[in-house]
């Protein structure tokens, strides 16, 4: 999981440099960057899918962190992109909220999850396909099976509607390959939260000086 986060971080940084400083001059960096969101989404869903995660308050803690760093990233993000859609931290916040509501199992919670998906999907980066990817990963991780794997794969493919290509599909074999590796790494939870607003701020500053 830690390795996947570092790979996602590097891909995201390269994608943003390409987009905001190089005027999307590198098709390679753009294609590689399409894997960043799926990797971050998968790692988050893997934590949420663990047995007892909801009772342990994992969802609420994740939502608090995501909300704080989504807000911190907003000034730079608004400068680079605009105020809408909301940044990827908000996307992951919304996915976590939906998963938490679904796990409660009550019909009111499930109705609220559907409402959050339909309305919230119009407000966040990568839109509904990103939410479908996260939900597909979460469902598969909770109870692996061929049908759920197929649905998760189709959800990943739906990102092509946003990305204009199917490069995000490469995240799936990358996740599978990572699960076969033994690579001890020190967990750096806060690095990834802090890096998002920090690197956007640096890019916005450089863009403003250019």
């Amino acid at each position: 999981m830690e390795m996947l986060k570092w790979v996602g971080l590097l891909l995201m940084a390269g994608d943003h440099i390409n987009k905001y400083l190089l005027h999307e001059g590198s098709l390679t960096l753009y294609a590689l960057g399409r894997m960043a969101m799926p990797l971050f989404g998968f790692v988050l869903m893997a934590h949420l899918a663990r047995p007892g995660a909801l009772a342990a308050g994992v969802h609420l803690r994740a939502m608090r962190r995501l909300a704080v760093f989504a807000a911190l990233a907003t000034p730079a993000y608004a400068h680079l992109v605009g105020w809408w859609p909301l940044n990827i931290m908000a996307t992951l916040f919304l996915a976590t909220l939906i998963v938490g509501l679904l796990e409660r199992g009550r019909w009111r919670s499930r109705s609220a999850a559907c409402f959050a998906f339909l309305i919230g999907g119009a407000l966040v980066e990568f839109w509904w396909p990103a939410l479908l990817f996260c939900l597909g990963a979460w469902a598969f991780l909770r109870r692996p099976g061929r049908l759920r794997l197929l649905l998760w794969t189709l959800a990943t493919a739906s990102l092509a509607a946003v990305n204009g290509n199917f490069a995000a599909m490469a995240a799936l074999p990358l996740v599978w390959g990572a699960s076969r590796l033994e690579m001890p790494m020190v967990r750096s939870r806060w690095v990834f939260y802090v890096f998002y607003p920090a690197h956007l701020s640096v890019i916005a500053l450089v863009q403003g000086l250019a």
Side-chain angles (χ1 to χ4, degrees):
M1 291 299 172
E2 195 71 13
M3 184 190 70
L4 288 176
K5 287 192 288 185
W6 280 105
V7 172
L9 184 150
L10 293 173
L11 294 177
M12 177 183 68
D15 179 55
H16 289 166
I17 290 171
N18 179 53
K19 182 175 182 179
Y20 303 120
L21 299 181
L22 303 180
H23 308 291
E24 296 189 334
S26 173
L27 294 178
T28 300
L29 286 176
Y30 177 81
L32 290 173
R34 299 313 95 204
M35 291 189 287
M37 190 286 296
L39 291 179
F40 287 130
F42 172 80
V43 171
L44 176 61
M45 292 301 113
H47 288 300
L48 300 182
R50 290 175 177 173
L54 184 66
V58 174
H59 297 63
L60 289 176
R61 288 196 297 272
M63 287 169 63
R64 282 197 294 266
R65 295 189 197 108
L66 289 165
V68 168
F69 287 96
L72 291 174
T74 294
Y77 181 84
H79 171 80
L80 295 167
V81 181
W83 293 99
W84 177 76
L86 302 177
N87 63 59
I88 190 62
M89 291 287 190
T91 306
L92 297 177
F93 173 94
L94 181 59
T96 304
L97 172 64
I98 293 171
V99 164
L101 290 170
L102 290 175
E103 285 212 40
R104 294 181 184 279
R106 298 187 293 269
W107 72 268
R108 289 184 179 178
S109 297
R110 291 180 177 178
S111 297
C114 292
F115 181 81
F117 176 85
L118 293 173
I119 303 302
L123 304 176
V124 296
E125 193 174 12
F126 292 102
W127 321 100
W128 295 279
L131 299 178
L132 287 174
F133 171 86
C134 290
L135 291 172
W138 170 75
F140 175 77
L141 290 165
R142 289 187 77 210
R143 195 159 64 246
R146 292 182 179 180
L147 177 58
R148 292 191 177 209
L149 178 60
L150 174 61
L151 292 175
W152 181 26
T153 301
L154 292 174
T156 308
S158 75
L159 286 163
V162 180
N163 296 332
N165 60 41
F166 288 94
M169 297 290 290
L172 297 181
L174 186 59
V175 166
W176 179 85
S179 70
R180 298 297 186 270
L181 294 177
E182 288 290 340
M183 187 178 295
M185 298 181 70
V186 177
R187 189 177 181 188
S188 304
R189 177 187 301 167
W190 292 101
V191 169
F192 305 97
Y193 286 104
V194 172
F195 182 83
Y196 184 71
H199 93 285
L200 285 183
S201 298
V202 171
I203 291 174
L205 178 62
V206 173
Q207 188 188 74
L209 294 174

